[in-house]
Amino acid sequence: MDQDNNSEDDSVGQAEDDTQPPFPLGLSDSEAVEVLWQVRTQRRQTDPDLPDTVTRLTTPEGSIVYLVGTAHFSDSSKEDVATTIRAVQPDVVVVELCQYRVSMLKMDEKTLLKEAKDINLEKVQQAIKQNGVMSGLMQILLLKVSAHITEQLGMAPGGEFREAFKEAGKVPFCKFHLGDRPIPVTFKRAIAALSLWQKARLAWGLCFLSDPISKEDVEKCKQKDLLEQTMSEMIGEFPALHRTIVAERDVYLTHTLRQAARCVEAPPNAEKVPAVVVGVVGMGHVPGIERNWDKELNIHEIMSVAPPSRFGWVVRNVLKGAMWGLLGYACFRASKGVGRALLSLPTVQSLLDNIRTPSF
């Protein structure tokens, strides 16, 4: 995974696959590397015929980024990703995942379907431990939305990322990077940006989401005009939420894609040559990445989480108590018994005690 410092420790690693082409025996390591490099160069199409969901971006050094816009519950998005990687034989594949969601790359569809539907006490505790009480509960509600879509479609999310991981393993020297901002940062910044009333409205809407969803609806999410219309509606309803969950991540994804697109060393003399990169992101992020591509970006600003204010301690905690009650009920609806289990957590009990007997 390639975070903002682009360190090697952050990389998932160079993908490998048993289908790499054979080469003559008796070659030295450097000769074998050069042969594989030439094989990939021969496979790479210079003017590929790619799906309509692919956007081509370039850097001043001549590197090319093929940005594949996807719908997260779509079989055709998986095909788009596979087609693009096979055609351009990239140096790097970047996906819209962070280290907290990397496990979905190696889970099979059956396991993922079960995990998406099974919201239990362990998941609640893990979400709260990672993100805090308010952000953790909101994450559980979003998991409930994902489970609703999973149940409607019979399809686990993230198929396009697993396809990208598999196809990258068939390309010699291809590296695989996680390009998204860590999800705890996103949730904490999103919750901090909402007023208490907005949190309640959002939780209520997520809790009672029950509209049927078809595969045709999902495929419509790959149409840019429909996405822009949906985003406009979202901005009007929760502008702060759109900023933290969509716009800020557009900036972060742009940054990691540009880092991945730095020149690579070509054998045998380690000559610096332009890179070819495939980025796999949700279609809703494509317009923002295009807008930010040539801008100067401030990554540190969108990675910070402001400490909670001390102003209005008593009022805020009383109101939070009511909010926890609402979110606890929402979690109860998302999975039987989770609401009751939530109230038994030591963190919630301690905060409720503080509300009953505030100290000044």
Side-chain angles (χ1 to χ4, degrees):
M1 77 199 107
D2 193 6
Q3 302 297 343
D4 55 358
N5 60 2
N6 200 45
S7 68
E8 289 300 321
D9 291 338
D10 282 338
S11 178
V12 169
Q14 181 175 309
E16 297 180 355
D17 189 87
D18 294 336
T19 62
Q20 301 289 9
F23 45 83
L25 298 176
L27 296 179
S28 66
D29 289 346
S30 60
E31 289 172 333
V33 166
E34 190 171 355
V35 168
L36 281 173
W37 188 274
Q38 291 172 354
V39 167
R40 188 185 65 173
T41 302
Q42 291 168 1
R43 288 179 177 177
R44 180 178 287 169
Q45 300 176 25
T46 54
D47 188 21
D49 182 17
L50 298 176
D52 293 337
T53 54
V54 178
T55 300
R56 188 177 183 274
L57 302 169
T58 59
T59 70
E61 296 79 21
S63 295
I64 302 173
V65 175
Y66 296 96
L67 191 61
V68 187
T70 69
H72 294 317
F73 290 82
S74 168
D75 281 331
S76 66
S77 284
K78 292 164 59 176
E79 295 169 6
D80 291 351
V81 169
T83 298
T84 303
I85 293 176
R86 290 169 189 168
V88 306
Q89 297 287 295
D91 298 288
V92 185
V93 172
V94 180
V95 296
E96 184 199 328
L97 289 175
C98 68
Q99 65 266 41
Y100 294 93
R101 293 176 288 159
V102 71
S103 60
M104 73 161 55
L105 290 175
K106 295 190 176 180
M107 286 187 184
D108 58 72
E109 289 283 327
K110 185 177 179 181
T111 303
L112 281 165
L113 280 169
K114 182 183 176 192
E115 287 287 317
K117 294 177 182 179
D118 182 22
I119 302 175
N120 53 31
L121 175 59
E122 184 181 353
K123 286 186 178 178
V124 174
Q125 290 175 325
Q126 184 179 5
I128 290 175
K129 184 178 179 180
Q130 281 185 358
N131 306 301
V133 176
M134 298 296 286
S135 300
L137 290 175
M138 195 61 70
Q139 181 180 353
I140 291 299
L141 289 178
L142 291 173
L143 281 175
K144 187 250 182 186
V145 173
S146 178
H148 170 68
I149 299 173
T150 297
E151 188 173 5
Q152 293 277 317
L153 299 177
M155 180 189 301
E160 73 274 32
F161 303 138
R162 290 187 292 280
E163 191 72 16
F165 186 66
K166 182 179 74 174
E167 290 296 329
K170 301 175 184 178
V171 180
F173 308 109
C174 183
K175 294 183 178 179
F176 192 90
H177 289 175
L178 306 179
D180 204 358
R181 182 172 66 178
I183 197 168
V185 176
T186 296
F187 274 119
K188 287 175 182 177
R189 286 183 62 87
I191 292 298
L194 295 175
S195 68
L196 192 66
W197 172 240
Q198 287 175 322
K199 292 171 189 173
R201 287 173 58 203
L202 179 62
W204 186 264
L206 293 176
C207 175
F208 292 99
L209 177 71
S210 60
D211 293 339
I213 300 171
S214 67
K215 291 187 178 182
E216 289 74 21
D217 293 330
V218 172
E219 292 305 317
K220 289 178 182 177
C221 290
K222 293 168 63 178
Q223 301 174 14
K224 292 186 180 182
D225 54 347
L226 179 64
L227 255 297
E228 290 172 0
Q229 178 184 344
T230 304
M231 289 299 173
S232 298
E233 294 172 358
M234 186 178 174
I235 291 171
E237 190 75 11
F238 297 106
L241 198 64
H242 176 272
R243 184 181 72 249
T244 52
I245 291 182
V246 181
E248 288 182 0
R249 288 172 61 221
D250 290 345
V251 171
Y252 194 92
L253 287 164
T254 303
H255 172 74
T256 53
L257 286 164
R258 293 200 313 210
Q259 291 284 91
R262 293 183 299 186
C263 290
V264 296
E265 295 181 350
N269 302 318
E271 179 187 358
K272 294 283 187 179
V273 297
V276 173
V277 177
V278 170
V280 183
V281 302
M283 183 60 77
H285 289 293
V286 172
I289 292 171
E290 288 185 276
R291 284 194 299 270
N292 290 313
W293 190 247
D294 296 317
K295 293 182 180 178
E296 187 132 352
L297 306 176
N298 186 346
I299 296 302
H300 298 293
E301 181 182 342
I302 63 170
M303 289 297 290
S304 63
V305 179
S309 172
R310 298 177 64 87
F311 178 73
W313 185 91
V314 175
V315 174
R316 184 172 64 251
N317 278 282
V318 169
L319 292 174
K320 279 187 177 181
M323 183 66 190
W324 288 330
L326 173 62
L327 292 177
Y329 174 69
C331 288
F332 175 81
R333 284 185 56 92
S335 178
K336 291 181 180 179
V338 174
R340 296 191 192 96
L342 178 65
L343 296 177
S344 69
L345 291 174
T347 303
V348 176
Q349 289 180 346
S350 173
L351 288 168
L352 290 175
D353 288 341
N354 287 337
I355 292 170
R356 287 195 292 270
T357 58
S359 58
F360 299 91

